[in-house]
Amino acid sequence: MTEEMIIRNTGNSPASFVKQTIQTLHDQIGTDNVVMGLSGGVDSTVTAVLLHKAIGNQLHCIFVDHGLLRKNEFEQVLDSYQHMGLNVTGLRAQKRFYKALAGLTDPESKRKAIGHTFIEIFDEEACRITDVKWLGQGTIYPDIVESKSASGKAIKSHHNVGGLPETMKLSLVEPLKMLYKDEVRHVGAALGISPAFLHRHPFPGPGLGIRILGEVTAERVRILQEADHIFIEGLRNEGLYDKVWQAAVILLPIHTVGVTNDERTYENPVVLRAVCSTDAMTAEWAHLPYHFLEKISKDIIHNVKGVNRVVYDISSKPPATIEWE
């Protein structure tokens, strides 16, 4: 990051933005308590650190494991939050989310089921905290843009835009809502958040729930977590992780024929998705080396029970979106 970098919608350098925002938050919130749900992503983390620097332990963070995170992510991210000094409570709630998702195949229905279940769990935990008057959210500008369009119809719904109950009595505090993702990372660097955390790939709020096309079950989550882990670790090992904006594996709701140990199989295909972008508004598919894709395909098929075919998505945004749902 260079001091000359200017945040588009504010005219400030990241360091100036941090200083002014912390003071604004301190003055705005005063002695009130703030509750905030963390996702493990960059946006919510940078928001939480800004709030923490402004009001300390008046910020109460809740990190919910909805069973749709990457392999081992809940434990790793919760540990990182605690080392950052955040006042955070971790909750395991996989069974409730899987129950809410049972039988659902429509993408928007799944998003709403995940969002509603999260709100229920979040509300139960937030009620244990006294004198809460504010809800912190890691909303950024692309979230707002994608949730609205010239036609009035959203490209896709975002859990933190328009997904809150109308009866909510808390006031919103969204310090990053005019920033793009690259600017959020610069702000995070100015806050002293580690580069390893800041440069984690974007991850959707509904998690693997929208990377599993069709019904979400514990077994299908297991398959996707294992395949995703091989892909992401492979990118890191080959020095490719930081060269792409976002990478993911998609589990398709179909089966394909294959051959393993001279026997016919009828199992799941998965799609590898990797894109290059700066702000997620547009994206180009990443031209990953053929030898790397070949290795990942073999590793997934040989090590993930239930997968017998791997394909690579070469669609750009637009017309395709980064996520499949």
Side-chain angles (χ1 to χ4, degrees), residues 2 85-86 110 126 140 143 146 150 164 276 282 320:
T2 62
L86 296 178
K110 291 193 294 181
I140 64 173
D143 295 341
E146 287 195 332
L164 299 172
C276 298
T282 61

Side-chain angles (χ1 to χ4, degrees), residues 9-270:
N9 290 320
T10 70
N12 293 323
S13 69
S16 296
F17 176 86
V18 166
K19 183 177 180 180
Q20 291 181 17
T21 302
I22 289 174
Q23 186 61 54
T24 298
L25 291 170
H26 182 271
D27 295 342
Q28 180 182 18
I29 296 167
T31 59
D32 296 340
N33 282 329
V34 179
V35 66
M36 180 174 178
L38 298 180
S39 67
V42 173
D43 305 332
S44 66
T45 300
V46 172
T47 299
V49 173
L50 274 170
L51 283 164
H52 178 72
K53 288 186 176 294
I55 62 172
N57 282 347
Q58 291 168 234
L59 172 65
H60 301 263
C61 299
I62 300 170
F63 183 34
V64 178
D65 181 6
H66 48 26
L68 304 168
L69 297 170
R70 285 186 155 129
K71 185 177 180 180
N72 301 324
E73 189 168 38
F74 179 72
E75 297 83 2
Q76 294 168 356
V77 173
L78 184 59
D79 182 69
S80 295
Y81 283 149
Q82 291 168 341
H83 278 88
M84 290 178 194
L86 296 178
N87 178 20
V88 58
T89 299
L91 300 174
R92 291 189 177 276
Q94 300 99 314
K95 291 182 179 179
R96 285 181 66 172
F97 282 92
Y98 293 163
K99 182 178 180 181
L101 287 164
L104 300 181
T105 59
D106 175 70
E108 283 301 299
S109 296
K110 291 193 294 181
R111 283 179 177 270
K112 289 176 181 176
I114 294 167
H116 291 162
T117 305
F118 175 82
I119 288 172
E120 288 175 2
I121 295 169
F122 182 84
D123 190 52
E124 289 169 9
E125 186 62 27
C127 285
R128 305 176 194 275
I129 305 166
T130 58
D131 300 324
V132 174
K133 296 183 180 179
W134 299 85
L135 173 65
Q137 290 205 132
T139 308
I140 64 173
Y141 192 62
D143 295 341
I144 297 172
V145 172
E146 287 195 332
S147 293
K148 300 176 181 179
S149 72
S151 66
K153 184 177 181 180
I155 297 171
K156 60 184 178 181
S157 63
H158 283 268
H159 61 289
N160 54 353
V161 181
L164 299 172
E166 295 180 2
T167 56
M168 190 184 75
K169 296 182 174 61
L170 301 179
S171 299
L172 286 178
V173 54
E174 300 172 301
L176 306 180
K177 68 179 182 180
M178 297 307 295
L179 273 58
Y180 290 86
K181 179 73 75 172
D182 59 326
E183 296 171 328
V184 174
R185 288 194 169 112
H186 285 296
V187 169
L191 285 165
I193 300 173
S194 73
F197 202 103
L198 285 178
H199 292 283
R200 296 172 74 231
H201 290 172
F203 192 68
L208 301 182
I210 59 168
R211 293 179 178 174
I212 297 174
L213 275 60
E215 185 178 10
V216 177
T217 65
E219 173 60 12
R220 300 192 79 209
V221 170
R222 179 200 66 78
I223 291 172
L224 185 53
Q225 284 180 331
E226 295 296 336
D228 177 86
H229 182 72
I230 290 171
F231 186 33
I232 298 302
E233 289 306 303
L235 288 168
R236 288 196 172 106
N237 293 338
E238 290 290 322
L240 296 169
Y241 184 86
D242 291 331
K243 295 181 179 181
V244 300
W245 167 268
Q246 186 171 347
V249 179
I250 314 300
L251 180 60
L252 300 182
I254 59 175
H255 289 80
T256 64
V257 68
V259 178
T260 301
N261 298 326
D262 295 325
E263 293 185 359
R264 180 180 183 274
T265 62
Y266 198 57
E267 296 179 323
N268 298 276
V270 296

